Amino acid sequence: LQVALKMGKRLIALVPLVSDEERLHVEQRLERYQGLEVEFRTYVGENVRCLAAADAGLIKSGTSTLEAGLMALPHVVVYRTPKSTTWIFKKVIRYLGPVSLINLVGGWRPGDPWDPTARRKIVPEILMDEVTSERLALELERLLTDRPYVEAMKASFAEMKKMVYGNGESPSLRAARAILDFSRARPS
């Protein structure tokens, strides 16, 4: 809403969901925002279509971030956890590297050491207690208005796509070839 008001435009938020039950729950929660400068549209099983139609995304951590990157959709990764999980992650696990597939895959370069803390991030990650409506609005506004920022992100997506697809073969086909080559090279 803050972004829509600031930009003077009505925003349409596409909300891909996995089930009709989830859709009912989400739509009930979104009712309170009806009539504002944001129109929410929910879709079940249409995540790729939503990514393709979007200008920018606030995307939950998971395979969707890699899909969005391969589709060159500028986005921010969002992952909010319960306070107990946040505490465990920060105090016990103490992992400081990226958590999203887009940054894990795209932030690595062949020859780099496997050091997640040294990886560059292709997209920002807003995690755990950093997730606030103000922070999300700030990041969304940047994605919708900061052309140099978006173009740099898209250039990183293109680099990552070359890395993932390599010589044009699908990653699945390349993995299958690698397994076959490995199995042929093993002594019986």
Side-chain angles (χ1 to χ4, degrees):
L1 178 60
Q2 296 166 350
V3 175
L5 292 173
K6 194 169 189 178
M7 293 178 65
K9 295 182 179 180
R10 182 170 175 82
L11 295 180
I12 298 171
L14 307 177
V15 185
L17 303 165
V18 296
S19 71
D20 287 323
E21 291 171 21
E22 184 182 31
R23 179 185 227 167
L24 181 62
H25 174 73
V26 168
E27 285 179 348
Q28 286 173 347
R29 295 189 71 187
L30 292 175
E31 280 179 8
R32 66 180 134 174
Y33 301 106
Q34 294 303 324
L36 300 177
E37 295 302 314
V38 179
E39 177 185 341
F40 292 94
R41 297 180 185 173
T42 59
Y43 299 89
V44 175
E46 300 286 342
N47 60 315
V48 173
R49 276 191 169 164
C50 289
L51 292 173
D55 294 321
L58 299 175
I59 300 178
K60 54 108 180 122
S61 183
T63 56
S64 302
T65 65
L66 191 56
E67 289 173 330
L70 291 172
M71 296 174 74
L73 174 66
H75 64 280
V76 173
V77 175
V78 180
Y79 189 65
R80 187 171 183 180
T81 60
K83 289 182 184 204
S84 58
T85 304
T86 299
W87 185 88
I88 291 168
F89 198 79
K90 288 184 173 185
K91 303 295 183 184
V92 178
I93 297 173
R94 297 183 183 179
Y95 177 75
L96 301 174
V99 299
S100 64
L101 279 174
I102 185 76
N103 287 331
L104 288 168
V105 172
W108 179 81
R109 296 288 176 265
D112 285 355
W114 182 252
D115 180 5
T117 60
R119 298 242 172 104
R120 70 185 182 105
K121 288 184 179 173
I122 293 177
V123 299
E125 295 180 346
I126 305 173
L127 308 173
M128 298 174 259
D129 52 1
E130 297 171 355
V131 179
T132 64
S133 59
E134 293 81 12
R135 177 76 189 277
L136 296 177
L138 183 70
E139 293 294 340
L140 183 58
E141 180 181 0
R142 187 171 186 199
L143 289 171
L144 293 171
T145 61
D146 187 339
R147 288 293 126 217
Y149 174 69
V150 168
E151 292 307 316
M153 191 180 289
K154 286 183 175 184
S156 293
F157 294 153
E159 288 176 34
M160 184 205 56
K161 192 171 187 176
K162 284 180 193 171
M163 187 175 68
V164 169
Y165 285 101
N167 61 3
E169 292 181 329
S170 76
S172 301
L173 182 58
R174 288 191 6 230
R177 285 188 202 283
I179 292 167
L180 285 172
D181 291 345
F182 176 77
S183 65
R184 288 181 189 135
R186 287 185 52 167
S188 302

